[in-house]
Amino acid sequence: MTLLFSIAGFVLIAATVPLVCELLLLTAASLLPETKPRIAGANTISSLAVVIPAHNEEGTIRACVESLLLSATAEVSVYVVAHNCTDTTAALGEAAGATALIYNDASARGKGHALRHGFSYAVAHGAEAVLVVDADSTVSPNLISEVLYALRHGASAVQCRYDLYPGKARVRSELVALALRAFNLVRPLGRSRLGLSAGILGNGFALSSSTLCAVPYSAFSLVEDLEYHLNLVLADKKVAFIPAAIVSSELPTAKNGETAQHARWQGGRLQAAKTWLPRLTRELMKGRLSILEPVLDLISLPVALGMAAILLTLAIPLAFTRIYAVIALAAVLAYVLRAISLGSNRLRAMALLAQAPLYMIWKLFLIPKVLYASTARAIWVRTERNSTAKGTL
């Protein structure tokens, strides 16, 4: 029996140790004092294009464009890429002050195709940098100025803080929002403080035209943001993180929409791991230590599933498994508490932790959908957020 317990313990530890290492490293690093980035050389960027990929977004496009125009402090062009739309997205985008790019191609399905089309048009029309904002989002008034400042002071790519908030006061949605704050804020902040590439989150990221020239955009998977970031890492380009500039989006309100969205996210990451790990491992074996953190990120279990595995490890009646499980639980707790500290309404967030076991159970039931999504092709899927908005995840 002891042998069986030992084998089970080693399997569970092997499954969870990448996540534990990732969380320990990035949570601790996020607490380091902020240091001003060393300026490699000023870029004379005078024209910025905002590309808004949109598929049937008539309920949200006006608010998105208007918030961007309010944020604009320099010469900025706003392009709405109306991709295979069957509604009034293009007309409403133009009425709000943007230029609509009608892009109809039934074979080009997925956000990545819309981005490439928008990038190509913007650069061909003189844009020296491009900023991506999803059509269901609004931005902070300082976003454009912060992005331009970072690009003009040496950054080749930047990622703004990406906040997702629950559309309804439902416990599971609030827990999802907390989990995404940890993923979208604690991890990029930690990477940035360590001098690593912060990552791309799919919304609120910007690229200089020289970066697009050096690393052409050709990411068309379910997680096109992760895919393109890995291409940047392999090209030795870092993404700078700008936590002061915020892009906000509402989480789905319908339970089925929330479930489908998470299955696509996690399935896409699993698909990316299967595709990218062999190549990244080869680069790591060549001594490229900058690849180590992206590899850890790819092979890490989702936090909820990792927690379930750690609790199983704690239940094994062996000293070494229990010692490891206590350390691992402390790492996860520190990560969650750091996310809580970076948000508002901290008391409410602390109270939500009592419902975390139900959240873990929900994530366990998602596993079949995640596995199915990992074999899917990237397509536009509308995700309902409120009574009028239609999402694009």
Side-chain angles (χ1 to χ4, degrees):
M1 184 62 72
T2 301
L3 178 60
L4 290 176
F5 280 141
S6 297
I7 293 172
F10 280 120
V11 169
L12 288 169
I13 290 172
T16 57
V17 76
L19 174 66
V20 173
C21 291
E22 175 85 346
L23 298 189
L24 277 173
L25 176 69
L26 297 183
T27 304
S30 75
L31 295 167
L32 294 174
E34 183 180 4
T35 56
K36 293 295 182 181
R38 186 176 301 170
I39 299 173
N43 296 321
T44 56
I45 292 177
S46 59
S47 58
L48 173 71
V50 183
V51 173
I52 306 174
H55 173 67
N56 291 346
E57 290 285 2
E58 61 186 10
T60 61
I61 191 62
R62 179 182 290 275
C64 178
V65 172
E66 289 176 348
S67 75
L68 282 163
L69 293 177
L70 285 173
S71 175
T73 57
E75 184 181 345
V76 176
S77 301
V78 180
Y79 299 114
V80 174
V81 182
H83 186 200
N84 294 332
C85 289
T86 57
D87 66 356
T88 59
T89 294
L92 290 174
E94 289 201 326
T99 298
L101 308 180
I102 309 298
Y103 178 38
N104 293 322
D105 184 346
S107 65
R109 306 176 69 194
K111 180 179 174 181
H113 292 282
L115 289 178
R116 186 171 69 171
H117 182 78
F119 292 164
S120 298
Y121 184 93
V123 172
H125 285 75
E128 295 169 309
V130 293
L131 166 66
V132 174
V133 174
D134 282 351
D136 59 358
S137 306
T138 56
V139 306
S140 59
N142 66 334
L143 186 129
I144 297 294
S145 60
E146 291 281 347
V147 167
L148 283 171
Y149 180 87
L151 291 171
R152 286 169 177 167
H153 287 77
S156 57
V158 299
Q159 172 64 56
C160 301
R161 174 172 173 169
Y162 179 20
D163 281 349
L164 292 105
Y165 57 92
K168 292 181 179 179
R170 197 170 68 237
V171 169
R172 191 171 78 188
S173 295
E174 291 178 279
L175 283 169
V176 169
L178 177 59
L180 289 171
R181 187 193 310 150
F183 189 88
N184 290 351
L185 183 53
V186 177
R187 296 196 198 197
L189 194 60
R191 293 180 187 121
S192 178
R193 300 284 167 85
L194 289 172
L196 302 173
S197 183
I200 289 177
L201 302 174
N203 193 5
F205 71 93
L207 308 165
S208 67
S209 57
S210 60
T211 297
L212 278 171
C213 181
V215 187
Y217 195 88
S218 58
F220 308 114
S221 68
L222 288 169
V223 282
E224 76 291 326
D225 49 352
L226 172 60
E227 183 183 351
Y228 187 68
H229 178 246
L230 292 174
N231 277 315
L232 290 176
V233 170
L234 289 176
D236 290 321
K237 293 190 176 294
K238 292 181 182 178
V239 179
F241 188 50
I242 315 177
I246 303 171
V247 56
S248 302
S249 182
E250 183 183 309
L251 284 166
T253 56
K255 291 183 180 180
N256 59 342
E258 190 175 66
T259 297
Q261 186 183 70
H262 273 265
R264 288 196 298 275
W265 281 345
Q266 297 298 337
R269 286 182 64 82
L270 179 57
Q271 187 182 74
K274 291 185 291 186
T275 302
W276 280 90
L277 276 176
R279 183 178 177 186
L280 293 176
T281 302
R282 288 194 297 270
E283 293 298 319
L284 187 59
M285 296 298 290
K286 294 177 183 177
R288 295 186 61 181
L289 295 182
S290 61
I291 304 294
L292 180 58
E293 193 280 326
V295 169
L296 273 179
D297 179 49
L298 270 183
I299 63 178
S300 293
L301 291 172
V303 173
L305 300 185
M307 270 291 291
I310 291 167
L311 291 174
L312 285 176
T313 309
L314 184 64
I316 296 174
L318 296 174
F320 81 94
T321 58
R322 287 182 170 172
I323 292 171
Y324 167 79
V326 169
I327 295 171
L329 287 172
V332 176
L333 180 61
Y335 173 67
V336 173
L337 291 177
R338 179 60 171 148
I340 290 173
S341 74
L342 293 169
S344 58
N345 202 355
R346 297 180 181 89
L347 289 178
R348 170 61 180 169
M350 291 290 290
L352 286 173
L353 296 184
Q355 303 293 324
L358 296 177
Y359 178 72
M360 287 191 289
I361 292 171
W362 173 63
K363 293 299 287 283
L364 288 170
F365 276 103
L366 279 183
I367 290 176
K369 295 180 184 295
V370 169
L371 294 175
Y372 176 78
S374 71
T375 65
R377 293 180 58 197
I379 58 172
W380 282 106
V381 179
R382 295 192 315 182
T383 306
E384 185 177 348
R385 281 165 172 76
N386 54 48
S387 59
T388 59
K390 298 173 183 177
T392 61
L393 292 175

